[in-house]
Amino acid sequence: MGTPNPGAPASSVVNGVFDPVDWLDRFKAVGGFWFVTPDKRLTIGWLLEGFTMEQTEQACTIWRELGPDAVRLAAIHAHLIAGRP
């Protein structure tokens, strides 16, 4: 199983710091999506239709990088709330 973007790092952690932009970019490349509701709740998932089984497996692997890590999820949430691309 390859990475969604061969030039991208296999993980969003560089020098011990989680990069939400990298994580979101890699996740989106394999069908990942997210939205923030008006009351600021975050929903994250991935599409199956239109994506290969390998991409679906990659989306699942990237999702697992968050694990039970509330700090990483909070970093993604803060990034999206701030309205950054």
Side-chain angles (χ1 to χ4, degrees):
M1 179 165 55
T3 59
N5 178 353
S11 173
S12 294
V13 179
V14 178
N15 295 327
V17 177
F18 178 73
D19 180 358
V21 175
D22 176 71
W23 189 91
L24 289 165
D25 286 346
R26 291 184 306 111
F27 193 55
K28 183 178 181 180
V30 292
F33 68 86
W34 52 88
F35 59 89
V36 179
T37 63
D39 63 348
K40 305 221 186 310
R41 288 193 228 179
L42 175 62
T43 297
I44 301 174
W46 62 90
L47 301 169
L48 301 176
E49 188 173 326
F51 293 89
T52 66
M53 182 57 81
E54 182 179 10
Q55 289 170 313
T56 299
E57 290 171 4
Q58 289 171 349
C60 187
T61 297
I62 294 167
W63 167 254
R64 285 189 192 125
E65 289 176 14
L66 297 179
D69 193 331
V71 173
R72 290 182 183 186
L73 191 55
I76 290 169
H77 188 253
H79 173 78
L80 295 171
I81 293 293
R84 298 181 196 127

